[in-house]
Amino acid sequence: MSTTASALEVKLADLEERYRFLSELEGAQRPDGPSTSSGNTTSLPVTLPNTLVASSEAIRNTPTAESARNWVASLELSELPSLDAEHTVTTPGNLDDPWLERTMGRSERIMMLKLYTREAFRYGVALVSPSLIEQLEDPDADRRPHPCLFNAIMLVAKDMATMVPADPIYDHDTPDSAEQDFVVPESTPSDGELLARTQAHCSQSLGDVDRLQDYLQAMLLMSYWYLRKGRLMEGQYSLAVACRLIINCKLHQIDHEVMQEMAPTRLPPLEGQSRWDSTLLGRPKNVEDLAMRIAIFWHSYYGDKVRSFLTGLPPTYDNDETCHVTTAFPQDLEKYISGEAFMVPHSSCDSLFDGSEQAPDNINALPLKALTLLDYAIRYATRNFSRPQSRILLPATFELYQELTLSPSLAKDMDILGLQHSLSKFKESSGQLINDPATFAESESTQTRGEAFKAASYKTLIRLKALATEIHLSYAMVGNGTIPLYDEDTAFNSRLRAAHECADVTAEAAEELGRLFGGTPRGSGIPAIEGMCMVTGVLLAFASGVIMEKIDKVKVQLMSQESSPPERLALEQELQDELRRLRQMSDPIQRVRTTYPIVDLHWQHIEKARQGHTEAVAQGSM
């Protein structure tokens, strides 16, 4: 049997399996069908057109000359199309996915695309092309984004709508809609339909090596959607696949040399002399394309770290010799277009620690720098301790990071004091930036509520990440067993101060949201802290764990018979202050747990670990 025939048999077997899976999903939607679940979360109902679920026999009889591309395009048809079915004459507004073209009107599609563009920051690093709508409506099919990306955008846009956008997206042709809340158009396909088609189109893109950059974006968006819905294994798998392909495409090594290839003052390298020439993606088409590749990498980096913090599963980007990250931190698109991005010093993970000159900070890079500092602080903390003292600090993650080592290029030049110095510099520069009204596009007097909510999200998360880094550094600062830098009491007081600041930041965020939306953000329909990012649940876990530890210490002191009446009164007041701070974080924590099943699973683990510790202490005192 020829190699080509064998490859086609494998592909057809995979398509049969996919049809079987889709048939089971359709069966689960029927009243008499079995319910499905993933982890502790019931899977979303899936409604598929009857014609979508074709028989395996029909697939087996497909002519071998037909490609997966034509098969995917035929999902909504009763018969498989001819070879040129996707290359019909285009009309204005036509899409690469005729099924979505027929399902949704043009104004409805644009409404959902604008919603995605505005709210994409909620998924970490925004994956938004500056001309997304124009690209999708390009008469030349070869210049349009792959349909897997369009379906993925529609899928996550529906999810973003459930986070309660702060301002309505309305149709300019219908002025009355300006005063109405945003409502997902009734013609928008179900989650199940969009997910199934995204998966199918992704299979086609990968199988035919067709617009892989769009494939990467679709996989990243889909993986984050899975994690948002509590479908952990699917999210982990999708993200891991995307991250490995991103490494294969060298998107983690867009360093100074690679950046200079696109500098406006430089001639492009000769054929075969660009590092891109040996990659799957080839050279960027223009500076906007380069900016998108940088955004794709950092989006995957952000998701990889957050997923690891939440689950304890190994990160893909551990920044060791096998995956040394050198990609420049992202900048505003205007700086790539103007050429400024190519003239500033190169800044990546290494430059946070090696003392080299850094490019001026910007609001796109700050969250990633804060996340990188937190990652390294955790590694340093777990390198010195077999188990952290606090009972709430992600035991699984700490045990995981014990098996990892710092990148040799960093470890030889950086010690714990170096990391502390890096954090101090970051807090200084980030504080100046996030408190500067010019940092965000609009001034406070002209900001929409959505823009104000985005600004509040950046400020809150950047500050919480820096404080969580301080908490972990307090463990590492106790020393490596030979030369302690802190004693235990000093280390505890250091992390307690950071935890108190976390409580203050949380209270400030709640107050700001209350001003924006008319009162304390309670109940459905009003944006609150859980709309910022799922990582909020982890960051508040670190801080609340330290405060719980302090509460336990005070209770032990109160039970002691040695306290004088004035000392006892002071201890009771201290206890009330700590309980107040804990309450400031408890409501946001509960809201985050309710919104994100993955965070709730994490907190269930925390509560179980704390209960086990309490029982052990009680037995030891008997």
Side-chain angles (χ1 to χ4, degrees):
M1 183 178 294
S2 67
T3 303
T4 302
S6 299
L8 286 172
E9 280 202 356
V10 171
K11 181 173 288 189
L12 289 174
D14 177 67
L15 297 182
E16 288 186 61
E17 176 62 20
R18 184 170 295 281
Y19 265 120
R20 183 196 63 76
F21 175 68
L22 295 178
S23 300
E24 291 177 357
L25 289 178
E26 185 188 46
Q29 174 69 7
R30 296 168 181 161
D32 57 343
S35 61
T36 60
S37 62
S38 177
N40 70 331
T41 307
T42 303
S43 297
L44 295 172
V46 177
T47 305
L48 299 175
N50 291 332
T51 54
L52 180 61
V53 187
S55 67
S56 299
E57 190 63 30
I59 299 176
R60 188 182 303 278
N61 294 330
T62 302
T64 56
E66 294 236 328
S67 67
R69 179 183 178 88
N70 289 315
W71 174 80
V72 171
S74 73
L75 285 177
E76 79 287 356
L77 304 175
S78 56
E79 296 180 1
L80 294 173
S82 60
L83 287 174
D84 59 351
E86 286 197 0
H87 299 285
T88 56
V89 178
T90 60
T91 59
N94 194 28
L95 300 170
D96 209 10
D97 188 343
W99 177 73
L100 271 177
E101 174 85 4
R102 293 194 298 270
T103 302
M104 302 180 69
R106 180 178 183 276
S107 62
E108 295 170 332
R109 296 195 307 270
I110 292 177
M111 186 187 305
M112 294 295 285
L113 290 169
K114 287 183 176 179
L115 172 67
Y116 167 76
T117 300
R118 193 190 69 188
E119 304 295 326
F121 75 94
R122 299 174 186 265
Y123 271 40
V125 178
L127 294 178
V128 179
S129 169
S131 54
L132 176 62
I133 295 176
E134 291 80 0
Q135 289 173 345
L136 283 165
E137 297 187 340
D138 196 311
D140 186 348
D142 293 333
R143 293 203 297 261
R144 296 180 206 144
H146 194 280
C148 68
L149 178 56
F150 187 29
N151 280 270
I153 287 175
M154 287 292 153
L155 178 67
V156 301
K158 284 191 66 179
D159 179 48
M160 290 168 181
T162 67
M163 297 182 189
V164 193
D167 299 295
I169 302 288
Y170 59 92
D171 184 359
H172 289 281
D173 296 332
T174 311
D176 293 342
S177 64
E179 303 302 322
Q180 302 172 4
D181 292 334
F182 178 82
V183 177
V184 176
E186 291 185 2
S187 62
T188 307
S190 68
D191 285 349
E193 290 171 316
L194 289 170
L195 179 61
R197 296 189 67 83
T198 301
Q199 292 170 327
H201 282 302
C202 280
S203 294
Q204 177 273 310
S205 174
L206 191 62
D208 288 358
V209 195
D210 179 15
R211 289 166 280 184
L212 290 183
Q213 194 162 305
D214 296 336
Y215 166 85
L216 289 172
Q217 295 180 66
M219 287 292 288
L220 291 172
L221 292 174
M222 187 165 58
S223 69
Y224 207 101
W225 183 88
Y226 277 134
L227 294 177
R228 276 263 301 134
K229 300 299 182 181
R231 298 169 64 166
L232 308 187
M233 295 308 298
E234 293 161 295
Q236 160 69 12
Y237 172 78
S238 301
L239 184 59
V241 167
C243 289
R244 295 311 307 180
L245 185 54
I246 283 170
I247 292 173
N248 291 340
C249 292
K250 305 296 184 184
L251 297 189
H252 67 304
Q253 292 184 334
I254 307 178
D255 55 22
H256 178 73
E257 179 182 342
V258 176
M259 289 282 289
Q260 289 306 304
E261 292 182 9
M262 298 292 292
T265 58
R266 300 279 291 270
L267 292 174
L270 298 175
E271 187 68 28
Q273 295 184 9
S274 169
R275 202 183 300 175
W276 292 113
D277 292 341
S278 60
T279 67
L280 287 170
L281 298 180
R283 300 188 186 191
K285 301 178 182 68
N286 46 47
V287 292
E288 291 91 338
D289 194 25
L290 174 66
M292 179 55 70
R293 294 187 183 191
I294 292 173
I296 288 172
F297 167 73
W298 285 114
H299 181 103
S300 69
Y301 179 94
Y302 190 95
D304 182 55
K305 296 299 182 186
V306 170
R307 183 264 309 161
S308 182
F309 291 160
L310 282 164
T311 64
L313 293 170
T316 302
Y317 303 120
D318 52 10
N319 208 22
D320 61 8
E321 291 181 328
T322 61
C323 181
H324 187 195
V325 174
T326 59
T327 296
F329 286 120
Q331 301 197 46
D332 296 332
L333 179 62
E334 293 76 15
K335 293 186 177 180
Y336 293 100
I337 296 174
S338 68
E340 184 180 349
F342 305 96
M343 296 184 287
V344 298
H346 181 77
S347 294
S348 189
C349 294
D350 290 9
S351 58
L352 288 175
F353 312 108
D354 61 14
S356 61
E357 184 182 3
Q358 296 190 46
D361 272 329
N362 67 82
I363 201 62
N364 299 307
L366 283 181
L368 299 164
K369 292 183 177 181
L371 198 67
T372 301
L373 289 168
L374 176 58
D375 180 35
Y376 276 90
I378 290 177
R379 298 187 190 211
Y380 263 108
T382 54
R383 189 175 68 173
N384 291 338
F385 292 99
S386 60
R387 179 68 68 91
Q389 302 301 310
S390 176
R391 299 170 298 285
I392 206 131
L393 289 177
L394 282 175
T397 300
F398 271 76
E399 291 170 1
L400 158 70
Y401 277 116
Q402 275 191 290
E403 305 302 322
L404 301 177
T405 58
L406 293 170
S407 171
S409 62
L410 297 178
K412 65 182 181 183
D413 297 325
M414 181 182 65
D415 55 17
I416 188 61
L417 291 176
L419 181 54
Q420 187 183 47
H421 180 63
S422 298
L423 176 62
S424 298
K425 289 197 302 182
F426 172 80
K427 290 181 68 176
E428 180 181 358
S429 63
S430 63
Q432 294 173 351
L433 191 64
I434 63 179
N435 292 319
D436 183 357
T439 297
F440 300 97
E442 303 291 339
S443 65
E444 292 186 5
S445 60
T446 58
Q447 273 182 334
T448 65
R449 291 188 304 170
E451 290 164 346
F453 180 77
K454 180 178 180 179
S457 298
Y458 276 107
K459 294 176 183 178
T460 300
L461 291 175
I462 289 169
R463 293 172 67 188
L464 287 178
K465 288 172 190 172
L467 292 168
T469 303
E470 282 192 52
I471 290 174
H472 289 83
L473 279 179
S474 71
Y475 289 103
M477 291 294 285
V478 175
N480 57 9
T482 57
I483 307 177
L485 303 171
Y486 282 179
D487 59 37
E488 289 287 355
D489 289 340
T490 304
F492 179 76
N493 290 332
S494 173
R495 59 178 168 269
L496 183 61
R497 284 193 299 272
H500 287 172
E501 286 191 56
C502 284
D504 294 339
V505 169
T506 305
E508 289 172 16
E511 183 180 350
E512 185 169 2
L513 292 173
R515 290 196 304 269
L516 282 173
F517 304 105
T520 303
R522 295 180 180 276
S524 61
I526 302 176
I529 198 169
E530 73 274 6
M532 295 181 176
C533 181
M534 68 175 71
V535 76
T536 310
V538 180
L539 302 175
L540 295 182
F542 294 139
S544 61
V546 175
I547 291 178
M548 287 181 185
E549 190 173 353
K550 176 62 176 177
I551 290 172
D552 289 345
K553 289 178 179 288
V554 175
K555 287 181 177 180
V556 170
Q557 290 178 285
L558 283 172
M559 289 187 294
S560 172
Q561 301 299 322
E562 299 176 0
S563 302
S564 64
E567 291 173 337
R568 187 174 185 84
L569 185 62
L571 286 171
E572 289 176 348
Q573 182 59 50
E574 190 175 8
L575 178 61
Q576 293 304 313
D577 290 341
E578 297 300 338
L579 289 171
R580 173 182 55 79
R581 294 185 179 100
L582 190 60
R583 284 194 296 272
Q584 287 175 335
M585 291 187 286
S586 61
D587 181 62
I589 288 172
Q590 188 57 44
R591 294 176 69 93
V592 174
R593 290 183 64 175
T594 302
T595 304
Y596 304 104
I598 187 173
V599 176
D600 185 57
L601 287 174
H602 163 62
W603 270 90
Q604 289 179 34
H605 180 76
I606 288 173
E607 291 166 342
K608 183 178 180 180
R610 179 171 174 78
Q611 181 181 0
H613 173 82
T614 302
E615 292 173 353
V617 170
Q619 292 177 358
S621 62
M622 293 176 62

